[in-house]
Structure formats: C-alpha cells, structure tokens
Amino acid sequence: MINYIEDCKLLITQFDAFSFQTIKKDIENIKTKIKEHELVGDVLVNFQRSVIGDIEYHNLPLSENIIKKKVLELIELHEKKYNYLARMYNFTTAIPASIPDFEFERIWVNFQKPNGFVPLHQHSGLYSFVIWVDIPYTLKQDKILESEDHRVGTFEFVYTDFLGKLTSQVLPVDKTWQGSIAVFPAELYHQVYPYYDSNEYRISISGNLKLSLNSG
C-alpha cells in the first residue's frame, strides 16, 4: 500500500518480506564489523577509517540492486502523483516529456546511538530516500503524553505551507516501521529526534539521486 502525504510531497510504502530480509542480512554484516571496533575510540570514526565505504558510501552487495529497483519504481509513482520535475524545471528549461533517467549519487548506512540527534538538514540531488531497517524501541503512548513536544524518537520533515510559514510532518517511526521506505524531494528539510529506551543502534539506509547525464 502506498501512502502519499500531500503537504510535503512524501511517499511511504513497505518492502516485501524477502527483500527486507536481504537488506537486513547485509546490514548485520556491517554491524558485526562495527562491533569489532567498539573498544577503540569513537566507533563510527574508527570504522569509517578502517573499512572505507561501508558507512559513507554504498557497500551492500546483496541488497544494493533491490534497493535501487524499489527506489526507482517509487520515484516513477511520485512523479505521476506530484509532477515534481516539471515543477523544478518550469522556469529554467523545457518540461520533460517523460520521466528521465536517474542515477544514484550514493547510498549510505546510518548507525545512530541512543541520545543522538540528527539536526535539520537537506540532501543533494533531486530525490532522496530513507529505509528504516532496525528501530530498537516502541513509541509508548504514555511517553508521548509526557513529552512536551511529542517528538521523542520520531522523524520529522520541515517545510513551508502555502502562507510561507514553517510547518512540519512528524512520522512516529518506531519498531513497527521496520521495512518501510520513504521517497521525497532532496531539498525537503528533515531531522531525527533522540530515543532513550534502548542501548541498541537505530539503523537506517539513505541515498540521493540526480538526473543522469544521459537523460535527454
């Protein structure tokens, strides 16, 4: 089932079980390498220095093609729904007659520790995506009520409304979101709030796409 969120032009859906288990198997291999470096300084810095590519760039030998195929399918659906490229190029060049070819700038894996906060940012390219692989907590209703802003452990998109005022779309991402994927315009600002109820990593995969140089 495809879920479209109109205000921020967001598309969310699920991987099938087989594809998601293949992705998780890839991630477990990377996670094992990370744990081997946990006793040596900063885990992620040392890991990036010793195993170049596994975090900052794509190194998902089993699931990379699965991910790319799914993302391209969703971008096509996003274009049919929102006509994003036509909006982007409306004042600069001719609107493409058909959806052009995209290429992946890079794919990377995020390993986030408890109490960690990913500040407001946007990505390069035209489209971005995020896959929620392992979310080690559940957003309990009582914790949500106790939180002043209802955002503990959540994923938030921030954008301007039709009046030019800042607004947001909060996604209640927890264990129930594992296997979900979101595709969105790369310029859409977003941030990730800390979680506190687990010592395990929050793991996701992200990536950016740009127009291929071969596109007409």
Side-chain angles (χ1 to χ4, degrees):
M1 180 178 178
I2 303 290
N3 180 24
Y4 295 98
I5 300 179
E6 299 288 342
D7 290 345
C8 57
K9 306 298 183 286
L10 181 64
L11 182 159
I12 303 173
T13 190
Q14 292 282 129
F15 275 93
D16 65 82
F18 177 80
S19 296
F20 183 56
Q21 289 307 313
T22 305
I23 292 170
K24 287 203 72 171
K25 185 175 181 180
D26 259 1
I27 295 300
E28 283 302 315
N29 293 335
I30 299 174
K31 189 175 178 182
T32 298
K33 295 175 184 177
I34 285 182
K35 287 187 175 295
E36 293 173 357
H37 295 81
E38 283 188 338
L39 300 179
V40 188
D42 183 274
V43 177
L44 297 187
V45 169
N46 279 282
F47 180 69
Q48 287 174 348
R49 288 174 180 168
S50 61
V51 192
I52 299 299
D54 278 339
I55 289 182
E56 288 198 350
Y57 300 96
H58 59 83
N59 189 4
L60 299 164
L62 295 174
S63 59
E64 179 182 328
N65 287 336
I66 291 174
I67 291 170
K68 288 182 174 180
K69 182 175 184 290
K70 183 72 169 181
V71 171
L72 290 172
E73 289 174 354
L74 296 178
I75 286 177
E76 185 172 356
L77 291 172
H78 192 283
E79 278 298 313
K80 289 179 179 177
K81 178 75 171 179
Y82 296 118
N83 208 17
Y84 178 60
L85 279 174
R87 295 170 185 266
M88 289 292 292
Y89 287 99
N90 193 31
F91 300 107
T92 58
T93 187
I95 297 174
S98 60
I99 297 172
D101 293 331
F102 286 91
E103 62 183 58
F104 287 77
E105 287 188 339
R106 63 184 180 121
I107 299 173
W108 67 95
V109 185
N110 305 294
F111 289 83
Q112 191 173 347
K113 284 186 171 183
N115 306 312
F117 174 73
V118 179
L120 194 65
H121 66 286
Q122 60 182 176
H123 290 185
S124 62
L126 277 173
Y127 273 102
S128 294
F129 68 89
V130 58
I131 303 166
W132 291 283
V133 179
D134 196 355
I135 312 299
Y137 54 84
T138 300
L139 295 177
K140 300 183 180 70
Q141 187 63 31
D142 57 347
K143 180 171 69 175
I144 293 175
L145 291 175
E146 290 172 4
S147 171
E148 289 184 3
D149 60 7
H150 305 267
R151 286 172 169 80
V152 173
T154 60
F155 191 107
E156 181 181 40
F157 289 99
V158 179
Y159 53 96
T160 55
D161 63 16
F162 70 99
L163 293 175
K165 295 182 179 180
L166 278 180
T167 186
S168 67
Q169 175 68 52
V170 177
L171 304 182
V173 175
D174 65 2
K175 191 177 291 290
T176 64
W177 282 63
Q178 292 180 170
S180 298
I181 176 173
V183 169
F184 52 94
E187 291 187 345
L188 184 60
Y189 280 92
H190 53 285
Q191 58 192 348
V192 186
Y193 287 88
Y195 62 99
Y196 309 103
D197 286 354
S198 172
N199 292 321
E200 293 296 316
Y201 288 115
R202 172 166 52 191
I203 304 174
S204 61
I205 300 171
S206 298
N208 303 327
L209 295 91
K210 62 184 179 181
L211 283 180
S212 171
L213 293 177
N214 297 321
S215 292

